[in-house]
Amino acid sequence: SQTIHQWPATLVQPVGSPLSLECTVEGTSNPNLYWYRQAAGRGLQLLFYSVGIGQISSEVPQNLSASRPQDRQFILSSKKLLLSDSGFYLCAWFRGDTEAFFGQGTRLTVV
Amino acid sequence: GENVEQHPSTLSVQEGDSAVIKCTYSDSASNYFPWYKQELGKRPQLIIDIRSNVGEKKDQRIAVTLNKTAKHFSLHITETQPEDSAVYFCAAKGWSNYQLIWGAGTKLIIKP
């Protein structure tokens, strides 16, 4: 069966520090992968999506970037975090053309 | 592009009563409409979905209705229970899209 892993679950980082969040999918090949951010009490904001290795589409201009070095790996990065980057980050994979499966999420607090 | 609006943003109902959350979409080509439930601090999870060739779908206490002409769809929860308290998201997707377009979410509060 397919599973999606995301880590770490919680992260506290100082302003100006780098960020790297990793997401991997098992049990499927060539998945469409997504990074979302959710501010406290708010909806899901799509940050990036990828339909294949090295293919990244950005939805929101910001100081974040994404990379897909392998078929089942999706990484969210930042060179210098801002206070406004705090939030709940979710990686997602779409099964076929329908259901989205989410990773456990990473709660990022920038201090 | 597609736009999905969701109402209300917060809904408080007495335990045992029914809850209804409504969404409207703008792109008539959208053909897949899922609903996700997100408990506090957890990931969103699919609870029910409907395709554009179906008008209604039920799964125990949960049902979704779709009106393609009016471009709106609704989530109905009957006999609400405390564990139904969560944030619910609707979404819409078309065949040519790589992504789901999400509603802003509804916080459902079940009062004992």
Side-chain angles (χ1 to χ4, degrees):
Chain A
S1 63
Q2 303 91 349
T3 56
I4 180 167
H5 302 280
Q6 181 184 344
W7 65 92
T10 307
L11 196 56
V12 180
Q13 292 284 100
V15 169
S17 63
L19 172 73
S20 181
L21 303 181
E22 188 163 344
C23 173
T24 59
V25 180
E26 295 178 357
T28 186
S29 59
N30 197 30
N32 289 345
L33 297 173
Y34 303 77
W35 277 111
Y36 289 92
R37 177 169 61 200
Q38 190 174 30
R42 305 289 295 275
L44 296 163
Q45 179 188 32
L46 180 64
L47 301 176
F48 301 95
Y49 71 90
S50 171
V51 299
I53 295 174
Q55 300 180 60
I56 308 295
S57 295
S58 174
E59 292 294 307
V60 182
Q62 59 219 325
N63 69 321
L64 299 172
S65 62
S67 62
R68 186 156 174 187
Q70 300 180 44
D71 181 46
R72 288 171 283 178
Q73 184 184 32
F74 202 22
I75 298 172
L76 182 69
S77 305
S78 174
K79 292 182 179 177
K80 287 187 178 181
L81 284 168
L82 306 172
L83 285 174
S84 57
D85 291 323
S86 294
F88 191 48
Y89 289 81
L90 288 156
C91 177
W93 159 65
F94 280 28
R95 180 171 65 183
D97 203 29
T98 57
E99 183 174 358
F101 290 91
F102 289 88
Q104 67 173 359
T106 297
R107 186 157 305 282
L108 171 66
T109 303
V110 182
V111 297
Chain B
E2 175 67 284
N3 182 52
V4 175
E5 294 191 0
Q6 183 172 347
H7 300 280
S9 56
T10 305
L11 178 61
S12 184
V13 302
Q14 206 69 39
E15 183 179 349
D17 289 351
S18 295
V20 181
I21 303 170
K22 299 181 180 181
C23 287
T24 59
Y25 60 99
S26 59
D27 187 353
S28 56
S30 291
N31 57 11
Y32 175 65
F33 308 92
W35 286 89
Y36 284 77
K37 176 183 180 182
Q38 185 179 27
E39 297 177 353
L40 189 64
K42 302 271 184 76
R43 73 188 90 184
Q45 293 193 293
L46 180 72
I47 54 171
I48 195 166
D49 56 12
I50 192 168
R51 293 197 175 274
S52 57
N53 58 347
V54 176
E56 183 176 0
K57 184 176 178 181
K58 274 185 102 171
D59 183 2
Q60 299 181 3
R61 297 186 297 110
I62 293 174
V64 56
T65 58
L66 171 65
N67 183 326
K68 285 175 57 181
T69 304
K71 289 190 282 188
H72 67 69
F73 56 111
S74 300
L75 177 71
H76 304 253
I77 306 174
T78 59
E79 300 172 18
T80 53
Q81 300 170 4
E83 55 265 35
D84 294 329
S85 293
V87 177
Y88 291 81
F89 292 97
C90 65
K93 186 174 185 296
W95 288 115
S96 60
N97 297 335
Y98 286 112
Q99 56 175 297
L100 286 170
I101 306 301
W102 297 87
T106 296
K107 183 175 182 179
L108 177 61
I109 300 166
I110 307 301
K111 296 181 291 186

